[in-house]
Amino acid sequence: MNKSMGTIIFERRKALGMTQAELAQRMNVTDKAVSKWERNISCPDTASLARLAETLHISLDELLSGQAAVSRQKWEMLPLVCNAVSLAMGVAVTVLCVLSRLDLLRENSSLGTEDMLLLCGIGILLLSYNNIRNLGSD
């Protein structure tokens, strides 16, 4: 959900335990200006947006877009999770090979459970690669 800039300023200021006067002092404006920002009556001038974002400990993108950076962090974890799962599946297949439970050289063309695990691991690895590539194009 997108929030207004005023809502973001208000919520972040409160989360940081700052009063309107304290934020105003850091931004070299009046507390009335901060109040107007938070009520969406006016906006900070463009020259001070970067300093405001830094003061509120958020990205400029988050301040302007109204979307929390946390939702993006969840998507940034997806490649890591996919890599971990594919690595775990690869280890499982390797262990099964060592234990001679999986004979990759057999002439039987039907796929067993271990073969399916291997294919799943490859599929997850490809999914991970595609997600990393898509994140880079954002």
Side-chain angles (χ1 to χ4, degrees):
M1 168 173 52
N2 289 357
K3 297 179 183 179
S4 69
M5 185 183 297
T7 301
I8 292 169
I9 294 169
F10 172 78
E11 288 177 353
R12 290 300 303 154
R13 177 182 63 78
K14 285 294 196 179
L16 294 169
M18 262 191 276
T19 64
Q20 286 182 342
E22 289 170 332
L23 179 57
Q25 182 181 13
R26 292 183 188 189
M27 295 299 301
N28 295 322
V29 296
T30 65
D31 58 340
K32 292 184 185 335
V34 173
S35 175
K36 287 180 181 179
W37 297 345
E38 291 181 352
R39 292 181 291 141
N40 294 306
I41 294 172
S42 67
C43 292
D45 70 51
T46 55
S48 63
L49 286 173
R51 188 170 77 222
L52 177 59
E54 183 180 326
T55 302
L56 296 174
H57 303 293
I58 58 175
S59 67
L60 183 57
D61 184 50
E62 184 175 351
L63 179 64
L64 294 174
S65 72
Q67 293 181 334
V70 174
S71 63
R72 185 171 187 95
Q73 288 174 352
K74 290 179 185 176
W75 285 109
E76 289 171 354
M77 290 296 295
L78 183 61
L80 178 63
V81 171
C82 289
N83 284 335
V85 170
S86 60
L87 177 63
M89 288 185 167
V91 169
V93 169
T94 302
V95 168
L96 290 172
C97 285
V98 170
L99 295 175
S100 298
R101 288 190 163 184
L102 177 62
D103 183 6
L104 294 176
L105 300 175
R106 68 177 178 231
E107 294 186 25
N108 186 357
S109 63
S110 66
L111 292 176
T113 305
E114 297 85 4
D115 299 313
M116 293 302 287
L117 279 174
L118 180 62
L119 291 175
C120 286
I122 292 170
I124 290 172
L125 188 60
L126 290 174
L127 174 67
S128 173
Y129 172 75
N130 286 332
N131 283 319
I132 290 170
R133 203 172 45 158
N134 291 338
L135 281 174
S137 66
D138 283 347

